[in-house]
Amino acid sequence: MENEVDIAKLIHRGGIYIDVEGSTPKEIYDTISKRIDLPEEITAEQVASALNARESILSTAVGNGIALPHARTPLMKEEEDQRIVVVYLKEPIDMKAPDERPVTTMFILLTHNSQVHLKVLSTLAGLFRSLRFRRALEERAGEAELSSLIKELA
């Protein structure tokens, strides 16, 4: 399917990080940006700055303990550089979610253009509606389990 985005592939590219420490979104973005694998032309500081700038406008928490941090404008230059970084927080943080639940899991979206970004958001929103998917996140599922669920549910 030409118009579909492969969420599992994007997560594979971005990686899954467990027990990331920080008590604010800024601390977490600053920490994780230094740990993730980035293309040569993008620095950890650029990623952290873009995520922090977007978060300062409006919380990226979407409810059910999940946040979708992203930059206001696409950071990735090439389509093959796109990725989703899954971050399981060591301690839940308050990000002013609509349901007031603290955030435990972040899906950091690093996309190439706004069309892909919107498709990723739409696909993730569908996955988040699944109780099985949300439970897998609460149990800090690894890449194989997430990938399997995504293929089944998306």
Side-chain angles (χ1 to χ4, degrees):
M1 284 184 240
E2 194 70 28
N3 290 340
E4 295 302 310
V5 292
D6 187 340
I7 299 292
K9 184 176 177 183
L10 293 174
I11 290 172
H12 175 74
R13 219 180 272 153
I16 296 177
Y17 296 82
I18 299 173
D19 287 340
V20 175
E21 295 189 36
S23 56
T24 65
K26 181 179 183 343
E27 287 177 18
I28 291 159
Y29 301 156
D30 291 350
T31 298
I32 198 67
S33 295
K34 292 179 185 120
R35 291 177 58 190
I36 58 179
D37 184 32
L38 293 168
E40 276 181 29
E41 68 274 3
I42 310 245
T43 66
E45 292 74 27
Q46 286 173 301
V47 171
S49 175
L51 295 176
N52 285 316
R54 168 57 184 84
E55 197 70 42
S56 71
I57 296 168
L58 183 68
S59 174
T60 57
V62 295
N64 290 309
I66 301 166
L68 297 170
H70 57 277
R72 286 175 52 203
T73 57
L75 285 173
M76 298 296 142
K77 306 281 186 262
E78 305 295 329
E79 189 173 341
E80 59 272 8
D81 290 335
Q82 298 181 115
R83 61 201 68 213
I84 297 172
V85 180
V86 179
V87 179
Y88 293 119
L89 303 179
K90 186 171 178 91
E91 298 292 331
I93 64 167
D94 180 13
M95 288 180 65
K96 311 285 185 261
D99 64 0
E100 298 182 1
R101 284 183 56 187
V103 169
T104 57
T105 307
M106 293 179 170
F107 285 74
I108 299 176
L109 313 181
L110 300 173
T111 55
H112 166 250
N113 64 46
S114 54
Q115 291 88 340
V116 172
H117 181 79
L118 292 173
K119 286 177 188 162
V120 167
L121 286 176
S122 173
T123 304
L124 287 173
L127 289 168
F128 298 156
R129 282 195 284 276
S130 163
L131 182 58
R132 281 179 56 215
F133 193 79
R134 293 195 316 268
R135 280 211 178 112
L137 295 178
E138 287 168 10
E139 293 165 8
R140 298 172 174 238
E143 186 181 339
E145 187 180 348
L146 285 183
S147 183
S148 174
L149 275 170
I150 289 165
K151 285 179 174 68
E152 182 184 329
L153 299 169

